Amino acid sequence: MDDEIAKIRQEFNAAKQSFLKIPEALKEMPKMNPEGIYVNKNLRLDNIQVYGFDYDYTLAHYSSNLQSLIYDLAKEHMVNEFRYPEVCISFKYDPNFPIRGLYYDKQKGCLLKLDFFGSIEPDGCYFGRRKLSRKEIAEIYGTRHIGRDQARGLVGLMDFFCFSEACLIADIVQYFVDAKLEFDASYIYEDVNRAIQHVHRRGLVHRGILSDPNRYLVKNGQVLQLVKMLREKGKKLFLLTNSPYYFVDGGMRFMLEDSTGYTDSWRELFDVVIAQANKPDFYTSDHPFRCYDTEKDTLAFTKVDAFIPNKIYYHGCLKSFLQITKWNGPEVIYFGDHLFSDLRGPSKAGWRTAAIIHELESEIRIQNDETYRFEQAKFHIIQELLGKLHATVANSQRTEACQLLLAELNEERQKARRMMKKMFNKSFGATFLTDTGQESAFAYHIHRYADVYTSKAENFLLYPPEAWLHVPFDIKIMPHHVKVGQAFS
């Protein structure tokens, strides 16, 4: 056994020498395209005849100021209407704290980052704004794995409100902890969620955005290019959004006003426009469509049994939509940013789905960075050596030499892990990966509900509309991840 340990020690020393050569070897490694389309299920674009789009965060791109607006409006509603302490008005949104795809535990009050298999990431559990230690996680949960019963108390924060929502929940929990006040963690979630829904449904966020579009909306001529290109290829297009028409109209006009080739009516670009669709209920309900009068701001009483070009429709349901359009599931692709509201329903209905995940672009740029790849390569090499060591020596048989080697390997691995995490988000790390190199629970949902995913819909301009999009043959789970370490082991 001592010989085995000495052998692993030699491999570790050799690995440390090889670390010096890694930067050179990295130059040969392929880089992933930040604007690429990544494929979970093979997709032949020549079979797609109908393209459907969500509006918010899919066709419309927002600046980072939007999260502060949502956060501020929600906290004011909580103070003014729910009688939360006045001091909450002074809270400020922290863009460096949350990431997409976290879970809030309504029973325990913790914000969690889970991995692909539903285990808590050791460095991704916060109570308020304080990170919990592994010991505290063990005391609260008993195990890092979230069982089925515990999972019932978790809510996923997945949509474009999730950043402001996660931050406001954590800030309010922290306030109650600091003030030594008793509280029920589920009430905080319900109140924050109700406040965010209120400012959205009452149009406070919409009016805030339209009152200063330069501050919140990003102009984007490529959207027009994409839509026109698809029309020229004879594709049908529809817009299906939960937002009200006036908001979509104001946003589209602003975003496209400087685009070359833009005429006055963006509505002419789409065969069907449906607003206030009430997704995800849209996919399962029997709600009828109503024709919306844009001049009078009223809904017509006549039955909708055909979609007339340039008219706007409200509400409705998937069943009626398919009956009216006669579009078959597999020939339709729908683009959306919310995995549950936008994509789960269409995925189950047989549509093809494209997830728009804005963070993907910056995360791939970090992944491509040589500093990150260097740490990733080190991490994988050390992980492999630790695996060998654990397989060789049982806990009860560890000699002093073995304990020393184990401590050194663990320390090196921790250093590499910390360096990689810091490059993404200081609190929770990467959106798609955990600190241990596992895919995250958010990645699991993308894998499950998105046939393809990309950072923005306009990336489809980089591919011919007849392209065959294939799953790479050598992927582990997420096709945009490169496993750097394997090249050096």
Side-chain angles (χ1 to χ4, degrees):
M1 193 175 64
D2 287 345
D3 290 349
E4 286 295 321
I5 292 165
K7 199 170 152 199
I8 295 169
R9 161 69 72 187
Q10 276 177 337
E11 283 184 56
F12 182 37
N13 291 336
K16 283 195 275 193
Q17 287 302 308
S18 76
F19 291 165
L20 304 173
K21 299 176 197 149
I22 286 176
E24 274 308 303
L26 287 175
K27 291 185 171 64
E28 306 304 312
M29 290 288 297
K31 294 200 170 179
M32 303 311 278
N33 179 3
E35 296 176 326
I37 297 170
Y38 293 94
V39 188
N40 290 324
K41 297 184 189 102
N42 291 343
L43 178 66
R44 284 180 57 172
L45 291 182
D46 58 346
N47 288 341
I48 302 293
Q49 302 307 319
V50 184
Y51 283 72
F53 297 92
D54 182 30
Y55 174 70
D56 291 299
Y57 276 89
T58 301
L59 289 181
H61 299 326
Y62 294 101
S63 74
S64 53
N65 297 321
L66 178 58
Q67 296 303 333
S68 295
L69 174 70
I70 297 167
Y71 181 97
D72 290 344
L73 290 168
K75 81 181 178 194
E76 284 161 21
H77 185 72
M78 291 179 76
V79 171
N80 298 333
E81 300 300 322
F82 302 162
R83 298 289 179 260
Y84 270 68
E86 283 286 330
V87 70
C88 297
I89 287 289
S90 64
F91 293 173
K92 291 267 188 295
Y93 175 66
D94 177 3
N96 299 313
F97 176 67
I99 60 170
R100 192 197 298 253
L102 299 176
Y103 287 81
Y104 178 67
D105 185 336
K106 291 195 290 184
Q107 290 160 352
K108 309 280 201 314
C110 298
L111 267 178
L112 312 168
K113 182 178 174 188
L114 302 182
D115 70 14
F116 199 86
F117 303 103
S119 294
I120 301 166
E121 181 176 307
D123 279 342
C125 182
Y126 279 73
F127 187 63
R129 295 298 294 272
R130 185 175 73 82
K131 184 167 80 172
L132 299 184
S133 67
R134 291 175 185 224
K135 186 166 175 266
E136 288 172 309
I137 294 170
E139 283 166 5
I140 295 169
Y141 290 98
T143 166
R144 272 184 40 223
H145 187 72
I146 296 287
R148 190 174 290 177
D149 288 344
Q150 284 176 318
R152 288 193 189 102
L154 300 186
V155 282
L157 307 177
M158 303 280 167
D159 65 4
F160 75 97
F161 293 143
C162 72
F163 302 98
S164 37
E165 190 173 7
C167 197
L168 190 50
I169 288 169
D171 288 343
I172 286 172
V173 168
Q174 193 60 53
Y175 167 76
F176 278 108
V177 169
D178 292 344
K180 297 185 170 53
L181 295 170
E182 280 192 31
F183 64 95
D184 185 315
S186 67
Y187 295 161
I188 289 180
Y189 170 74
E190 303 300 342
D191 289 346
V192 169
N193 189 258
R194 271 167 58 213
I196 284 182
Q197 294 297 335
H198 170 84
V199 301
H200 186 56
R201 287 190 180 130
R202 287 300 163 95
L204 303 181
V205 174
H206 298 144
R207 288 196 288 277
I209 291 166
L210 293 183
S211 69
D212 193 357
N214 281 302
R215 181 170 168 73
Y216 299 110
L217 275 162
V218 178
K219 293 204 172 184
N220 186 2
Q222 281 194 310
V223 164
L224 185 64
Q225 268 178 270
L226 173 67
V227 171
K228 283 190 153 181
M229 180 271 286
L230 292 170
R231 285 195 80 81
E232 281 161 17
K233 295 284 181 183
K235 308 295 184 185
K236 300 286 185 189
L237 282 93
F238 69 93
L239 181 62
L240 176 67
T241 174
N242 285 354
S243 291
Y245 171 74
Y246 80 89
F247 176 64
V248 178
D249 183 52
M252 289 293 274
R253 284 169 190 264
F254 172 78
M255 287 187 300
L256 301 180
E257 66 187 3
D258 299 338
S259 304
T260 48
Y262 173 62
T263 55
D264 227 13
S265 180
W266 61 267
R267 284 162 25 182
E268 290 169 5
L269 300 169
F270 296 92
D271 296 274
V272 187
V273 176
I274 301 160
Q276 295 223 310
N278 199 27
K279 295 174 291 178
D281 289 353
F282 177 87
Y283 300 113
T284 51
S285 75
D286 283 318
H287 291 154
F289 283 102
R290 305 280 299 271
C291 191
Y292 174 71
D293 188 320
T294 57
E295 303 297 317
K296 297 178 186 164
D297 187 27
T298 55
L299 295 172
F301 294 100
T302 49
K303 188 178 179 196
V304 174
D305 47 22
F307 291 128
I308 300 159
N310 227 3
K311 292 281 186 193
I312 305 299
Y313 297 91
Y314 265 30
H315 313 316
C317 64
L318 179 66
K319 194 165 107 185
S320 301
F321 182 79
L322 296 176
Q323 281 168 353
I324 294 168
T325 59
K326 305 285 188 288
W327 291 335
N328 286 322
E331 66 180 7
V332 181
I333 188 168
Y334 186 66
F335 291 72
D337 75 296
H338 192 307
L339 297 175
F340 298 152
S341 298
D342 289 332
L343 302 183
R344 181 161 54 185
S347 168
K348 288 183 175 175
W351 287 1
R352 309 309 300 269
T353 52
I356 303 301
I357 313 292
H358 286 270
E359 304 92 303
L360 183 66
E361 204 164 305
S362 60
E363 294 212 353
I364 289 177
R365 289 188 199 286
I366 293 166
Q367 253 183 228
N368 284 341
D369 186 270
E370 284 186 14
T371 316
Y372 176 82
R373 289 182 157 203
F374 177 56
E375 297 301 332
Q376 192 189 12
K378 274 168 54 177
F379 177 82
H380 279 289
I381 292 164
I382 292 158
Q383 186 86 322
E384 206 164 293
L385 290 172
L386 271 166
K388 277 186 189 174
L389 189 58
H390 284 299
T392 305
V393 190
N395 282 359
S396 55
Q397 298 172 312
R398 286 180 184 164
T399 61
E400 198 178 326
C402 176
Q403 295 283 23
L404 193 63
L405 179 56
L406 194 60
E408 283 180 51
L409 285 167
N410 273 322
E411 193 185 336
E412 282 291 335
R413 182 175 64 167
Q414 275 296 98
K415 269 199 294 196
R417 196 185 272 173
R418 278 196 300 269
M419 287 295 291
M420 287 192 289
K421 180 177 179 172
K422 252 179 18 192
M423 293 180 207
F424 292 98
N425 170 288
K426 66 176 174 42
S427 310
F428 293 99
T431 307
F432 297 90
L433 278 176
T434 65
D435 295 352
T436 54
Q438 289 277 6
E439 267 83 4
S440 64
F442 180 68
Y444 168 78
H445 292 305
I446 292 176
H447 191 65
R448 193 168 173 196
Y449 297 122
D451 292 349
V452 297
Y453 62 99
T454 188
S455 62
K456 51 187 188 291
E458 307 88 90
N459 293 341
F460 273 69
L461 279 167
L462 306 172
Y463 294 73
E466 301 79 29
W468 290 27
L469 304 177
H470 280 283
V471 178
F473 72 94
D474 59 345
I475 64 158
K476 183 184 175 193
I477 293 168
M478 300 304 286
H480 75 277
H481 286 152
V482 172
K483 301 290 180 279
V484 168
Q486 288 155 7
F488 307 101
S489 45

